Amino acid sequence: MAAEGADLGGEARFMDALLPPKSRILDAGCGTGRVAAVLHDRGHKVVGVDADPLLIEAARADHPGPVFIVADLAELDLAESGLELPFAGAVMAGNVMPFLAPGTEVAALSAIARHIEPHGAIVVGFGLDRGYDLDVFDSHLAEAGLVLEQRFATWDLRPWTTTSEFNVSVLRVPDQI
């Protein structure tokens, strides 16, 4: 896709602009580590987490800079791994929310939020054609104690409308969660 001119770094640029330089960032649902690698190359300290050990193996092989861990987002506890907490923010790119096991969405959002500093950002992007309704997502984020701060139609900040086919939601972690 990159050879064809596709923009594969939009999510990382979004996070880079949102968070201070050299931030600690959690790439939740990192897959093969594409976003984590770009964030690392931009000077951030990145930990990528995915439940699929084959994807984590590929991430480690292709991108030696970030730390990659196999873990279920709904049960995430990186303190057990001896990692420094909290993170300044987290990114969930690549349709992570629709791929979660049904019924685990609130647990995953809550677990991720526990890893983020107060007022830190969790940015979630997913296609609205993936079977995960935006109103349901909004109820899940509220149930997890998160606050919707901003919503865009793309990673390059195009305005959100009710006809948008994709959403990028910036969530904030309150003082206490």
Side-chain angles (χ1 to χ4, degrees), residues 32-157:
T32 59
R34 175 182 57 82
V35 175
V38 176
L39 287 166
H40 178 267
D41 290 347
R42 290 176 171 259
H44 298 285
K45 296 175 183 126
V46 186
V47 174
V49 175
D50 202 285
D52 187 329
L54 293 177
L55 294 177
I56 292 296
E57 184 179 320
R60 288 175 179 154
D62 293 344
H63 310 293
V67 173
F68 292 104
I69 295 176
V70 176
D72 184 332
L73 294 178
E75 301 171 2
L76 190 62
D77 186 356
L78 293 177
E80 288 180 348
S81 301
L83 294 172
E84 181 185 342
L85 299 176
F87 293 89
V91 59
M92 297 176 76
N95 294 300
V96 173
M97 290 301 297
F99 288 134
L100 292 175
T104 65
E105 299 91 350
V106 174
L109 288 168
S110 297
I112 292 165
R114 287 191 296 274
H115 289 77
I116 308 302
E117 64 191 31
H119 306 289
I122 300 173
V123 183
V124 182
F126 60 89
L128 299 175
D129 62 345
R130 301 291 178 158
Y132 184 54
D133 185 77
L134 195 57
D135 291 333
V136 173
F137 171 65
D138 287 346
S139 70
H140 288 160
L141 72 89
E143 191 174 340
L146 297 167
V147 177
L148 176 64
E149 179 177 274
Q150 193 69 259
R151 180 165 284 149
F152 301 98
T154 62
W155 289 99
D156 63 356
L157 306 178

Side-chain angles (χ1 to χ4, degrees), residues 159-173:
W160 163 259
T161 70
T162 57
T163 61
S164 296
E165 297 176 2
F166 196 85
N167 100 94
V168 176
S169 296
V170 179
L171 315 178
R172 287 291 173 180
V173 177

Side-chain angles (χ1 to χ4, degrees), residues 2-49:
E4 295 172 2
D7 177 14
L8 300 180
E11 302 99 326
R13 279 194 312 280
F14 186 102
M15 296 303 293
D16 189 48
L18 183 66
L19 298 173
K22 300 181 180 180
S23 288
R24 293 180 35 68
I25 301 174
L26 175 62
D27 184 354
C30 67
T32 59
R34 175 182 57 82
V35 175
V38 176
L39 287 166
H40 178 267
D41 290 347
R42 290 176 171 259
H44 298 285
K45 296 175 183 126
V46 186
V47 174
V49 175

